[in-house]
Amino acid sequence: MLTPLSLIPSFGFGDRLGLATPGHIAALRGTKFAPIFAQQSVRENTRTGRTPQQVLDDAKRAVDTAKWDAPWGADADHLKMLEEIPSFVDAGYTFFTIDPGEYVDNAADSDPLDVLKRKAASVMNWDHISMLYLDQNGEQVWGNFELVSLQRAVVKYNNAIQHAVSMFNRLSQFKEYFDFEVSVDETDSPTTPLEHFFIASELTRLGVRFTSLAPRFIGRFEKGVDYIGDLDALDTELAKHAAVTAHFGTYKLSLHSGSDKFSVYPLIAKHWGNRIHVKTAGTSYLEALRVLASHEPDLFLKIYSLGRECYEVDKRTYHVSADLKMLPNTNDLPSLLNDFHAREVLHVTFGSAIGKFGVELKSALKKHEIAYYEGLRIHFEKHLNLLKD
Ligand code: ZN
């Protein structure tokens, strides 16, 4: 049943080729997670040439075939503009992820005090906000802002919050029940726990019923590879973010770029238990390429060579650090899918690859569908097992 999932622990499976859902179902059956089987951002749809309706129809077909009769959701991911909403509503999506990242003032983190003061004063509701958040006299555990930390939070996030409110209000005109997520995970600088508090507090105050929130954490969450950064520092930081979510108790923590973050899952499970949503996408595409590497080496080599050509351009809208000069020199093609640099190169060039070889790619996967589903099952069981609390 396609339905909002509210606070049930959930796991999102982006599927750029529209063929992976049977493998996702096999991995997820019997776990505590409710699945999002259709999850596609506008950016992904542009690159794969699919419409919101097609993405949902592909997932629905697989759900029917597998006789999956438990709740599942469909995520309109990273919606940035009001005009993007209707086509996802019409198609029947249940989960809407708002990305107000373009309204975040990243410079607020480093603005000198006089600039910060001027910017804060120009925020329309500054007087009201400062009254709400300053001078709490230490009465509450959270939300004790110093003037400067409040100025930074307001300057950095106020416009983004206002945009999220507009998106929520527009959606509410179309639908009564839906999951609503606010994500600031693709901003330039991390979200501090105090800023996380400010965002959640303002959204709540302004009447936004959000079911999940995705902060940007410290360190690097790059696509299709494990976490890059200091895990102990992350653990400490996550504990503070978990205190914020516990304070409100009304929404799940959402982890974006959740593919292959094997070292982070135990920390997420430790701090949030069941109050989590995890998003993956590119890793299912990489599992498809793993099948090609074993069974259709010629096609794999064409995709790999195109990937190397297109990487420098295609990587621009992603946070990745792979270096073409570091690609391994090997004839063992499946081993490339275990290499950091090759994974990122193959990951971010999916749009170019699908544009040129999509038909061949899909027919090869249909030919080797048992291997594909089995690869997906094993790969996602690894994810889901580490998220057990
Ligand atoms: Zn994201």
Side-chain angles (χ1 to χ4, degrees):
M1 185 192 15
L2 186 56
T3 178
L5 304 174
S6 190
L7 298 183
I8 306 173
S10 47
F11 194 95
F13 298 97
D15 175 14
R16 288 164 184 168
L17 295 163
L19 296 171
T21 305
H24 296 156
I25 291 177
L28 190 110
R29 254 191 221 288
T31 72
K32 68 179 181 181
F33 291 95
I36 300 276
F37 288 132
Q39 170 205 294
Q40 203 94 328
S41 66
V42 176
R43 174 175 67 189
E44 286 172 308
N45 279 333
T46 308
R47 291 187 181 199
T48 56
R50 294 163 84 207
T51 64
Q53 189 72 59
Q54 284 171 327
V55 172
L56 191 53
D57 288 348
D58 286 338
K60 264 186 190 157
R61 249 193 311 279
V63 164
D64 291 344
T65 307
K67 301 195 170 31
W68 175 271
D69 49 17
W72 65 286
D75 180 359
D77 201 8
H78 279 276
L79 297 180
K80 292 175 188 245
M81 298 183 290
L82 293 166
E83 308 81 73
E84 291 167 350
I85 291 175
S87 62
F88 287 93
V89 169
D90 291 346
Y93 282 68
T94 58
F95 186 122
F96 297 82
T97 301
I98 303 314
D99 174 357
E102 279 160 26
Y103 294 84
V104 172
D105 183 348
N106 290 293
D109 276 5
S110 52
D111 277 336
L113 290 184
D114 57 324
V115 176
L116 203 58
K117 190 179 165 190
R118 181 168 47 75
K119 282 186 179 177
S122 72
V123 169
M124 208 173 52
N125 47 352
W126 168 252
D127 288 340
H128 184 54
I129 287 179
S130 60
M131 220 168 63
L132 287 172
Y133 291 94
L134 291 177
D135 303 324
Q136 300 278 345
N137 297 322
E139 276 171 28
Q140 54 187 90
V141 182
W142 275 99
N144 284 319
F145 285 83
E146 305 289 330
L147 177 62
V148 174
S149 60
L150 184 63
Q151 284 171 330
R152 280 200 208 285
V154 169
V155 170
K156 189 169 170 188
Y157 289 112
N158 191 61
N159 288 339
I161 291 164
Q162 298 303 328
H163 184 62
V165 172
S166 307
M167 296 288 271
F168 179 80
N169 290 341
R170 176 63 60 89
L171 260 165
S172 300
Q173 292 168 353
F174 292 117
K175 282 174 94 76
E176 193 173 357
Y177 299 109
F178 53 90
D179 292 318
F180 189 75
E181 174 166 313
V182 177
S183 82
V184 288
D185 68 300
E186 295 198 359
T187 56
D188 292 344
S189 61
T191 315
T192 67
L194 200 56
E195 290 165 351
H196 175 174
F197 173 90
F198 179 72
I199 295 167
S201 172
E202 283 297 280
L203 289 171
T204 304
R205 184 174 75 81
L206 297 168
V208 175
R209 292 187 311 275
F210 59 106
T211 38
S212 47
L213 196 147
R216 157 98 199 255
F217 294 123
I218 57 169
R220 302 211 311 269
F221 287 77
E222 299 192 357
K223 301 285 180 185
V225 295
D226 207 341
Y227 179 67
I228 305 165
D230 179 341
L231 274 176
D232 288 335
L234 180 67
D235 191 19
T236 308
E237 186 80 352
L238 292 182
K240 295 178 194 163
H241 283 283
V244 176
T245 44
H247 170 86
F248 291 96
T250 48
Y251 62 93
K252 295 184 279 196
L253 186 280
S254 177
L255 181 70
H256 284 218
S257 302
S259 298
D260 306 275
K261 300 297 176 293
F262 300 113
S263 63
V264 175
Y265 302 143
L267 303 180
I268 298 288
K270 177 177 86 173
H271 292 298
W272 280 281
N274 285 337
R275 283 290 172 92
I276 49 176
H277 178 59
V278 175
K279 295 201 194 203
T280 67
T283 206
S284 291
Y285 173 71
L286 291 175
E287 285 308 302
L289 296 189
R290 195 189 295 277
V291 172
L292 300 192
S294 299
H295 299 280
E296 303 284 342
D298 293 343
L299 178 56
F300 177 82
L301 283 170
K302 285 195 270 182
I303 290 172
Y304 187 41
S305 130
L306 181 73
R308 278 173 291 176
E309 266 170 52
C310 300
Y311 176 66
E312 294 299 338
V313 172
D314 289 357
K315 75 174 185 184
R316 285 184 194 151
T317 52
Y318 288 99
H319 292 282
V320 284
S321 59
D323 184 343
L324 291 174
K325 294 192 289 296
M326 301 290 282
L327 289 171
N329 195 356
T330 177
N331 294 321
D332 177 6
L333 301 183
S335 77
L336 289 168
L337 274 307
N338 301 328
D339 177 77
F340 173 88
H341 299 276
R343 282 184 74 81
E344 290 202 339
V345 168
L346 289 166
H347 178 291
V348 299
T349 56
F350 71 89
S352 301
I354 293 171
K356 194 156 178 196
F357 301 114
V359 176
E360 286 170 77
L361 184 50
K362 284 184 193 176
S363 73
L365 286 175
K366 281 181 189 145
K367 187 168 145 201
H368 302 288
E369 64 179 13
I370 301 299
Y372 185 34
Y373 300 156
E374 187 59 5
L376 287 165
R377 184 185 64 77
I378 292 167
H379 189 58
F380 280 103
E381 280 180 354
K382 199 175 157 194
H383 285 67
L384 294 161
N385 282 333
L386 287 163
L387 283 160
K388 279 186 199 152
D389 60 324

